[in-house]
Amino acid sequence: MSHTNHAKDLVRMANQIAVHFATYPREEAVTETATHIRKFWDPRMRAGLFAHVQSGGETDLHEIARGAVGMLQAR
């Protein structure tokens, strides 16, 4: 799998999680999305998502997923 396809898959999955929690109050949705990614994603998956965001791919992410990535990176 190419790096581009892998990044697209990670973004798609992060966005699906964010959409799942989108009906929650914003802060709770961000926290729940970050918790899900932290608990269930392999560290390599998280690193790939972070690298994608750091290379300018944050616009691909749902607003809640962007907040979750920021929360995870701040840890």
Side-chain angles (χ1 to χ4, degrees):
M1 178 184 307
S2 76
H3 173 71
T4 304
N5 287 339
H6 184 65
K8 284 181 182 180
D9 287 341
L10 295 172
V11 166
R12 179 183 50 78
M13 290 186 288
N15 285 342
Q16 286 175 334
I17 297 164
V19 167
H20 174 77
F21 291 113
T23 59
Y24 289 40
R26 187 196 179 281
E27 191 167 323
E28 186 178 358
V30 169
T31 299
E32 291 296 330
T33 301
T35 298
H36 181 92
I37 291 170
R38 183 179 46 78
K39 282 185 175 181
F40 299 109
W41 283 31
D42 180 278
R44 293 170 294 183
M45 292 170 68
R46 288 192 302 269
L49 183 61
F50 298 160
H52 178 72
V53 168
Q54 290 170 345
S55 69
E58 69 276 350
T59 59
D60 298 339
L61 287 171
H62 187 284
E63 182 267 333
I64 291 169
R66 276 196 308 271
V69 167
M71 180 179 284
L72 290 166
Q73 289 180 314
R75 289 183 115 228

